[in-house]
């Protein structure tokens, strides 16, 4: 498929989606045309709750993405047995705010889970995500080994199928909430790579060759929106970290309905260009972006 | 009607199991987790003999010992969870064991004497026979894995019930066991379990009467007990007490009760026919009525010699046989010889290991007979959590030292070593770095250098080659565990901490 065709089709699909949602949307939002929404937003200078609110407002609120009765999966990074200050996992306050926003938008149920790297009993507790997300009203569960189903990957280059967590596939909406971190092998880990947390099987095998395999799977399970937590980011020794000196307080949040646009928007946090991140380049070349990445113009919002 | 003894037995058994269940993360014990295990009078004596110091950690065991000359073997009949489990097993299975009589009672005394000499000589075998460690071992290795898997399996069928999942989650925080399974030694421990189960069908309390070294110790202490249970002149020789006694403590002629065997179960209290109460309790400093234990000098010397030979035999093994490069002990474990001597194989550390049955496993015979059931780390099936020091917190003997997290993170279990013939980047010139990614050391003990490598198609490209910084490595083994190669890993933890 040529890029032009793809863009045309994407535009058509977007129009159809917005038309469909316009019918059900409230009159207050009616005035805001889909076309005026930014491809991605960068919010800076506030606490997680304020950052999220500003980002959602730029898109007309969570109600634009989550409708009444939706079963929503909020997918943070709960991979590591680290406290929030060490920036190994998604900020627990942000996760809680996302959960609240989904429930306020009428979600029937919000589920939070992640396939962890360290022992799940420890990471769910030490990340504070279990406590805060449950307090916010989410159903927080450990990932079960028997909860994966083989998911076909018709557009995969190397892989033709891979086990994916069933509860993730069954959700009507998915909100991907990664944390922006350094990563030894992948250089950075953001929204696209965060989706590895719902991939089953031997994830180590995805590493060889990483670019093709991770995109093969991720492109088939893209979320509704991606909200990148960059309140604290890990600048070195990622993705596990552990040294406070490697953590940078950036008080930022990046959001986009397009995972790839969100990832590319977040790259300046680390001073990287797209060319330095082979797996993101690979993802762009597969045409999974909903926006033209080359001319991407994120909306920047500065809070006090 | 439940007798007082049954109630006490139940409380002691439930308390012991509750401590076992509380040995988990998040670690919020209501009592010291190893308290139950420290009630063992045998471990109190043997550990003291082995270390040549009073084993003060076993103060509850010493209290039992002090009370025994007054009250007799009440521990066996009232408190010992293994004894209670035997009683419960007979009740549940409706076992019809043969008559209590005709079971040699001497072996336990010989075993006790022999094991004491083994302990004095620094031999490591006595812990196998400690009744409380034995109970905990079977609980960890056999009962808990089976019961928890059954619960998890059944509850997976009940999830359609509204609210069941929420109930299960809240119950799991208190009660519902997380499934544990230690495949390597499950079968040997299951065989041990079956052995004891079958024994109960042969004779009631077979172990307690014939084999238990703690029973022997308590029996010896009770042989001159002050509060005696005796049969007075009003006895009409009906024999009812002898038939009901599970310990074969009632002798037929002359009719008397043997304080060495009596466990104060009180079953004989009301069996005298109407009109007689021949069984009475007296305080007495007078001559004992104990039936002599046939512990002749020859037998005593024989068992002592066997105990010493056992300890010596262990020493004859070449050192390399005992401490091989693949043997990784829990974090904070004493040096190998001391560790084997101290470890009573209660498997409490295995139970609490955060890897949930992955990392710490009861070892088999690969590292010598004396290594049997001692905890060893298997990094392929699990790994040591960097922020976890719980195994040292629950060890009743101090075979694993109690360490703060900072201490634990500085004391390596071993060192990671690359097998470059297997490691993907080194062998195939492709990026992988799963090990580097997972390395928990804040500034990474596994690092990488970027060099040009030859791709399979003959072109040159940049590859990230991992290497270990030995001084940084804590030997946690997450690299070995997460290595994507199936079977033999490209990096493994070697027992090299002393280098």
């Amino acid at each position: 498929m040529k890029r032009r065709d793809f863009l045309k089709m994407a535009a058509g699909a977007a129009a159809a989606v917005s038309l469909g949602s316009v019918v059900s949307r409230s009159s207050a939002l009616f005035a805001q045309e889909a076309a005026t929404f930014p491809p991605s937003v960068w919010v800076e200078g506030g606490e997680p709750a304020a950052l999220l609110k500003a980002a959602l407002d730029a898109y007309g609120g969570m109600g634009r993405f989550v409708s009444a009765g939706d079963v929503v999966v909020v997918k943070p990074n709960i991979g590591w047995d680290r406290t929030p200050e060490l920036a190994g996992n998604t900020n627990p306050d942000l996760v809680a705010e996302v959960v609240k926003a989904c429930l306020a938008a009428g979600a029937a149920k919000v589920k939070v889970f992640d396939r962890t790297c360290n022992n799940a009993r420890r990471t769910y507790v030490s990340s504070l995500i279990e406590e805060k997300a449950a307090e916010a009203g989410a159903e927080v569960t450990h990932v079960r080994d028997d909860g994966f189903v083989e998911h076909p990957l018709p557009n995969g280059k190397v892989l033709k199928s891979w086990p994916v967590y069933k509860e993730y596939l069954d959700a009507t909406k998915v909100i991907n909430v990664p944390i922006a971190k350094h990563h030894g092998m992948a250089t950075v880990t953001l929204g696209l790579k965060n989706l590895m947390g719902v991939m089953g099987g031997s994830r180590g095998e995805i590493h060889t060759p990483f670019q093709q395999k991770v995109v093969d799977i991720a492109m088939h399970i893209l979320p509704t929106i991606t909200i990148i937590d960059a309140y604290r980011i890990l600048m070195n020794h990622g993705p596990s970290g552990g040294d406070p000196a490697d953590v940078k307080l950036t008080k930022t949040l990046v959001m986009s309905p397009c995972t790839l646009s969100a990832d590319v928007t977040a790259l300046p946090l680390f001073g990287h260009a797209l060319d330095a991140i082979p797996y993101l380049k690979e993802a762009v070349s597969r045409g999974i972006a909903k926006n033209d990445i080359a001319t991407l113009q994120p909306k920047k919002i500065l809070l006090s | 009607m439940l007798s007082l003894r049954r109630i006490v037995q139940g409380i002691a058994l439930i308390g012991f199991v509750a401590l076992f269940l509380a040995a988990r993360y998040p670690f919020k014990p209501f009592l010291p987790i190893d308290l139950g295990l420290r009630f063992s009078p045998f471990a109190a004596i043997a550990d003291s003999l082995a270390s040549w110091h009073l084993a003060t950690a076993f103060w509850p065991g010493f209290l039992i010992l002090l009370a025994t000359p007054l009250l007799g073997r009440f521990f066996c009949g009232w408190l010992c969870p293994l004894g209670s489990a035997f009683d419960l097993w007979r009740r549940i299975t409706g076992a019809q064991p043969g008559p209590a009589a005709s079971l040699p009672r001497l072996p336990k005394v010989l075993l006790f004497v022999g094991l004491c000499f083994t302990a004095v000589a620094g031999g490591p075998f006595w812990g196998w026979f400690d009744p409380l460690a034995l109970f905990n071992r079977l609980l960890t290795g056999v009962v808990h894995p089976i019961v928890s898997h059954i619960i998890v399996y059944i509850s997976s069928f009940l999830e359609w019930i509204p609210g069941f999942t929420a109930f299960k989650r809240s119950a799991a925080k208190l009660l519902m066991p997380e499934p544990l399974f230690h495949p390597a030694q499950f079968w040997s421990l299951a065989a041990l379990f079956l052995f004891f189960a079958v024994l109960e069908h042969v004779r009631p309390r077979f172990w307690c009467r014939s084999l238990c070294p703690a029973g022997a110790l308590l029996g010896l202490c009770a042989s001159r007990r002050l509060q005696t249970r005796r049969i007075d002149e009003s006895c009409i020789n009906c024999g009812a007490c002898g038939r009901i006694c599970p310990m074969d403590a009632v002798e037929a002629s002359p009719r008397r009760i043997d304080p060495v065997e009596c466990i104060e179960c009180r079953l004989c209290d009301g069996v005298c026919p109407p009109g007689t109460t021949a069984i009475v309790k007296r305080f007495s400093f007078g001559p004992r009525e104990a039936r002599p234990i046939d512990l002749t000098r020859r037998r005593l010397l024989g068992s002592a010699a066997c105990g010493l030979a056992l300890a010596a035999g262990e020493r004859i093994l070449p050192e390399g046989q005992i401490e091989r490069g693949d043997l990784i002990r829990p974090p904070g474990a004493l040096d190998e010889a001391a560790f084997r001597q101290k470890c009573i194989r209660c498997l409490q550390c295995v139970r609490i290991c955060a890897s949930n049955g992955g990392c710490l496993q009861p070892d088999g015979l690969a590292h010598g007979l004396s290594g049997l059931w001692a905890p060893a780390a298997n990094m392929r099936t699990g790994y040591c959590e960097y922020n976890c020091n719980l195994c040292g917190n629950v060890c009743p003997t101090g075979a694993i030292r109690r360490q703060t997290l900072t201490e634990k993170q500085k004391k390596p279990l071993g060192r990671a070593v690359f097998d470059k013939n297997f490691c993907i980047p080194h062998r195939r010139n492709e990026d992988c770095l799963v090990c580097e990614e997972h390395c928990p050391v804040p500034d990474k003990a596994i690092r990488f250098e970027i060099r040009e490598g030859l791709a399979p198609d003959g072109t040159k490209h940049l590859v990230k080659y991992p290497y270990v910084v030995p001084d940084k490595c804590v030997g946690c083994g997450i690299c070995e565990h997460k290595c994507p190669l199936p079977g033999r890993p490209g990096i493994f933890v070697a027992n090299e901490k002393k280098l």
Side-chain angles (χ1 to χ4, degrees):
Chain A
M1 188 188 287
K2 283 185 182 147
R3 181 184 295 165
R4 183 181 298 267
D5 295 342
F6 172 78
L7 289 175
K8 271 185 192 162
M9 210 182 77
V17 167
S18 57
L19 197 67
S21 51
V22 156
V23 177
S24 64
R25 228 181 300 142
S26 68
S27 56
L29 281 167
F30 191 76
Q32 214 167 2
E33 288 291 320
T36 66
F37 290 125
S40 65
V41 289
W42 166 297
V43 195
E44 198 179 327
E47 293 305 298
L51 294 171
L52 178 70
K53 185 172 182 306
L56 285 173
D57 285 350
Y59 282 100
M62 188 62 102
R64 195 168 111 76
F65 305 105
V66 174
S67 333
D70 269 338
V71 174
V72 183
V73 162
V74 172
K75 163 63 183 77
N77 185 332
I78 327 178
W80 307 95
D81 185 14
R82 300 288 194 209
T83 54
E85 298 72 40
L86 292 171
N89 307 305
T90 306
N91 186 301
D93 295 316
L94 178 65
V95 178
E97 290 303 322
V98 172
V99 170
K100 282 183 206 159
C102 292
L103 289 171
K109 193 180 240 185
V110 181
K111 298 178 175 185
V112 174
F113 51 74
D114 185 21
R115 188 174 174 211
T116 61
C117 296
N118 290 137
N119 184 293
R121 283 184 295 159
R122 297 187 70 90
T123 66
Y124 272 57
V125 172
S126 50
S127 68
L128 301 186
I129 289 176
E130 183 169 39
E131 179 193 327
K132 296 204 172 178
E135 213 171 76
E139 183 189 293
V140 188
T141 49
H142 290 184
V143 162
R144 292 155 53 147
D145 289 345
D146 60 355
F148 293 86
V149 288
E150 203 66 24
H151 191 59
L153 310 171
N155 297 324
K157 265 192 194 169
V158 184
L159 300 170
K160 286 300 165 193
S161 76
W162 194 265
V164 175
Y165 203 52
K166 189 167 180 301
E167 285 191 50
Y168 179 90
L169 296 171
D170 289 347
T172 54
K173 300 286 159 58
V174 172
I175 300 180
N176 186 21
V177 200
I179 176 171
K181 285 191 291 183
H182 166 261
H183 193 287
M185 186 266 308
T187 315
V188 288
T189 164
L190 297 159
L192 200 71
K193 198 178 171 310
N194 192 46
L195 297 177
M196 284 186 76
V198 295
M199 299 178 192
S202 162
R203 288 189 295 188
E205 284 175 23
I206 299 174
H207 285 225
T208 47
F210 179 70
Q211 285 97 293
Q212 283 85 1
K213 284 189 181 171
V214 76
V215 176
D216 275 357
I217 309 172
M219 68 187 291
H220 291 89
I221 55 170
L222 289 173
T224 319
I225 47 175
T226 294
I227 301 172
I228 300 177
D229 164 34
Y231 186 77
R232 293 187 193 91
I233 64 172
L234 189 61
M235 297 301 288
N236 201 0
H237 300 123
S240 51
D243 186 349
D246 292 331
V247 179
K248 189 171 160 190
L249 188 68
T250 40
K251 296 196 169 186
T252 301
L253 181 144
V254 170
M255 174 175 160
S256 172
C258 165
T259 311
L260 206 46
S261 303
D263 284 7
V264 173
T265 305
L267 285 180
L269 285 166
F270 300 90
H272 287 313
L274 180 60
D275 278 348
I277 323 292
Y279 79 95
L280 289 181
K281 257 169 68 184
E282 171 78 19
V284 172
S285 77
R286 303 271 192 105
I288 64 169
K290 294 176 187 165
N291 308 298
D292 183 10
I293 296 297
T295 62
L296 191 71
Q297 290 292 327
K299 177 176 179 166
K300 299 227 171 186
I301 303 169
L302 269 168
L303 306 176
S304 61
Chain B
M1 245 294 272
L2 276 176
S3 68
L4 179 64
R5 181 178 77 100
R6 289 281 182 230
I7 294 168
V8 174
Q9 269 190 314
I11 291 171
L13 184 64
I14 289 169
F16 197 93
V17 175
L19 281 170
F20 170 85
L21 290 176
R24 58 186 288 182
Y25 177 87
F27 190 57
K28 290 171 191 151
F30 48 97
L31 284 172
I33 284 296
D34 54 337
L35 185 67
L37 288 158
R38 292 197 262 140
F39 268 87
S40 170
F42 172 62
I45 292 295
D47 193 28
S48 300
L49 290 174
S51 58
W52 296 73
H53 287 292
L54 196 65
T56 46
F58 285 97
W59 61 264
F62 282 114
L63 284 186
I64 303 282
L65 269 182
L66 288 177
T68 302
L70 181 70
L71 300 168
R73 272 175 74 177
F74 71 99
F75 177 77
C76 307
W78 291 64
L79 295 178
C80 178
L82 187 61
S84 306
F86 287 147
D87 292 348
L88 194 64
W89 179 262
R90 288 198 309 275
R91 178 75 65 95
I92 293 172
T93 60
Q96 302 282 337
S102 74
L103 197 62
R105 57 198 197 120
L106 190 60
K108 63 174 181 292
V109 182
L110 297 180
L111 192 61
F112 169 68
V113 172
L115 290 176
C116 281
F117 276 89
T118 305
V120 171
F125 301 96
W126 55 270
W128 284 349
F129 299 92
D130 180 71
L132 300 191
L134 179 64
F135 182 73
N136 214 60
R137 190 182 312 141
L138 295 177
L139 210 53
T140 309
V142 184
V143 181
H144 186 254
I146 292 175
V147 173
S148 60
H149 276 90
I150 289 176
I151 291 178
V152 168
Y153 185 70
I154 290 177
S155 64
S156 70
F157 288 108
L158 301 176
E159 275 163 14
W160 56 270
I161 301 171
F164 183 79
T165 333
F167 163 76
K168 193 173 138 188
R169 261 201 307 284
S170 49
K173 290 216 162 78
L174 292 169
L175 278 177
M176 200 83 86
E178 58 282 15
L180 278 166
F181 184 58
H182 311 96
Q185 287 307 310
F186 176 78
W187 300 109
S188 71
L189 290 169
L192 191 69
F193 181 90
L194 282 178
F195 172 72
F196 284 112
V198 168
L199 277 192
E200 269 322 282
H201 290 260
V202 177
R203 292 284 187 278
R205 292 251 189 176
F206 192 119
W207 160 264
C208 314
R209 290 166 51 204
S210 202
L211 296 170
C212 180
L217 169 64
L218 293 173
L220 293 175
C221 291
S223 63
R224 305 193 60 80
R225 61 188 277 197
L226 297 177
Q227 195 217 26
T228 60
R229 178 178 284 270
R230 54 177 66 199
I231 300 170
D232 68 14
E233 299 73 30
S234 64
C235 175
I236 56 164
N237 268 335
C238 70
C241 50
R243 284 191 296 277
I244 201 165
C245 179
M247 298 297 287
D248 185 29
V250 183
E251 281 176 89
S253 168
R255 201 157 272 288
R256 59 186 185 186
I257 296 172
D258 182 356
V260 176
E261 300 303 323
C262 172
I263 58 170
E264 275 300 316
C265 68
R266 299 185 176 179
L267 283 177
C268 56
D269 265 0
V271 294
C272 289
T276 39
T277 40
I279 296 174
V280 294
K281 280 184 241 177
R282 294 263 161 70
F283 269 98
S284 156
F285 295 93
R288 299 301 103 173
E289 294 182 330
R291 147 174 65 162
I293 306 167
D294 302 326
L295 189 60
T296 57
R297 182 182 300 162
R298 180 177 303 224
R299 281 177 175 153
L300 186 76
L301 288 176
S303 66
C306 286
L308 289 174
L310 200 60
E314 174 62 18
R315 297 253 165 122
I316 291 168
L317 281 178
E319 203 166 321
Q321 193 88 32
I322 293 173
E323 195 167 5
R324 288 216 319 245
D326 62 341
L327 178 59
I328 308 292
R329 291 298 184 198
L334 302 174
D335 287 344
E336 185 60 20
F339 176 76
R340 287 188 187 209
Q341 197 186 334
K342 274 269 185 192
C343 173
I344 56 172
R345 278 74 162 165
C346 65
L347 302 189
Q348 191 83 319
C349 52
V350 172
R351 149 75 189 158
I352 204 167
C353 180
S355 65
N356 227 21
C359 180
L360 286 189
Q361 305 254 350
D363 199 9
L365 296 169
H367 304 101
L369 179 64
S370 67
L372 183 64
W373 297 324
N378 182 338
M379 302 304 187
R380 209 56 186 133
T381 52
Y383 64 92
C384 181
E385 282 286 352
Y386 186 67
N387 291 329
C388 177
N389 59 349
L390 293 180
C391 50
N393 271 297
V394 299
C395 180
T397 60
I400 308 173
R401 277 178 291 241
R402 227 160 264 240
Q403 302 182 108
T404 65
L405 206 51
T406 328
E407 283 167 348
K408 183 247 171 179
Q409 287 168 350
K410 281 182 184 154
K411 193 157 170 28
L413 284 78
R415 301 267 193 223
V417 183
F418 274 104
D419 186 341
K420 291 189 179 178
N421 290 330
F422 271 80
C423 172
I424 292 169
H426 290 290
R427 143 167 79 138
R428 301 209 303 239
N429 299 320
E430 280 176 42
D431 281 346
C432 174
L433 288 193
V434 179
C435 50
E436 185 268 353
E437 174 182 333
H438 286 87
C439 178
V441 178
D443 53 348
K444 298 282 180 195
I446 299 176
R447 298 178 184 176
F448 59 90
E449 52 174 346
I450 305 176
R451 275 190 280 118
E452 239 181 17
L454 208 57
D457 61 5
T459 58
K460 287 197 164 180
H461 64 150
L462 290 177
V463 180
K464 292 169 175 171
Y465 292 98
Y467 64 95
V468 178
V469 184
D471 288 346
K472 295 268 175 201
C473 179
V474 295
C476 74
I478 195 171
C479 48
E480 181 179 342
H481 179 62
K482 302 280 182 182
C483 177
L485 288 174
R488 190 166 165 180
I491 184 168
F492 63 95
V493 180
N495 183 359
E496 276 191 8
K497 57 193 170 215
K498 282 175 205 138
L499 292 183

